Amino acid sequence: MKVSNDLPTTTVIMTYCEEAWSTLLRSVHSVINRSPPELLEEIILIDDFSERDYLKQPVDEYMSKFPKVKVIHLKERHGLVRARMVGAAMATAQVLTFLDSHIECTVGWLEPLLQRVKDERTNVACSVIDEIDSINFAYTRVDANLIGSFSWSFAFQWAVMPEHERERRKAPSWPIRSPTMAGGIFAIDRAFFYEIGAYDPGFKIWGADNIDLSFRIWMCGGQLEFLPCSRVGHIFRNGHPFTFPESNIKQTFHHNTLRTVEVWVDEPYKQVFFDHVPEMKGVDPGDLTERRAIRENLECKDFQWYLDNVHPDHSKPDFKFKAKGSLRSRRYPHLCLTNMAKGRIALLDCADVQRNQVFFYTMRETIETDGFCITNNDDQLALGSCHTNPASTFKHVKGNQIKEISSGKCLGIEDETTDVLFEQCQSNSGNQRWMWENYFDENGEKEL
Ligand code: UDP
Ligand code: MN
């Protein structure tokens, strides 16, 4: 690709909290070594009140050798959103580039991002995110064939690039338009960032900031895209090294998502969020006056416009169900079917607030949780796509068996382990009886 010789310059903003020394240095050095010096104005490192000693003075001393690097130690925990805003407020370059603190920029990573922002000041440019293994730190290049999407609990998800986007792009180097971004690696014009409301200071510690910003970018006149020629590796780690001081990760994430939903999502989709995350119904999201004013003042498009024009390939959510909510064993009434993530399902205590225990028995007779369908995989429960292959369907009447149609087997419980599995149906087995939290009539309307 050719790029202009008068690209705008950028300020790189990298916040960190309890980051490892080696990964922090790898991140900073990759920016210094692999950005054309004339395009890199400065790197602002924000220490978000880390507790680890080596992240204090040792970082200052080390970085003092690199004149472009400025280090700020926050005096209290800000969380990722407010920490980034401290960096943005100090930045002097025209373009802000936000990076996670455990990444590696590759040669040529920066130019395509700045080119797109120069082409159009409302373009928000993301690198394609390669994978750095969290165990051995090996760098793996990924195929650039995904877009960012979201589930109907409004959590970020990757999705296959839709047909219309494949056809629009005339070469592999072309930007990939994406409904949402992953959040950790992107460049944005500084003035445009503030125009569309920067970040929401009401967001806590971590989570949903990427969905919030993605909706605002598209609905308020911008474009969001991945640049296949710009590659940045990111360590996808299990869990987080930092604490969630006020509550746990799930509550924090849902609090932030609630703010996004309350401001940027309209009915009937708002209701879909509460179907998936019923514990947030009636919860106070905090003051939203200023966030709503952004949407109004900029005359941003509505959520239906966003779905129709930016994400027409998104599966429509269900508005009616045969049953929904927690799915309780009648033999062990304190145990609920639980989505353990990564395709695993188990029976756990019904009040486990860390986990997802919301399942939908749809009008199509599939059983779904957060965008995935339960299937019978050799009598083991598995979570599969609801769209690619015809999903498993089930017969169930209130309080009774859940029978998978194609295998004729019933969802049961092994007494010793309380493992869930598919087994021969037995009409007198209490282990095969299940009770959903809510049941609806044949039109999916009135609660039974
Ligand atoms: N971060 C921060 N303050 C916080 C939480 C996170 O500065 O309270 C930083 C973190 O160090 C990282 C970035 O925000 O550089 C994104 O967080 P993380 O990488 O844990 O999110 P993930 O990539 O897992 O979504
Ligand atoms: Mn990260």
Side-chain angles (χ1 to χ4, degrees), residues 100-103 234-235 237:
D100 268 18
S101 49
H102 35 261
I103 52 105
H234 171 259
I235 302 177
R237 48 193 185 184

Side-chain angles (χ1 to χ4, degrees), residues 375-377 390-395 403-409:
T375 57
N376 175 351
N377 182 6
S392 292
T393 54
F394 301 85
K395 285 288 173 209
K403 183 175 181 176
E404 203 236 333
I405 309 283
S406 68
S407 66
K409 295 204 169 160

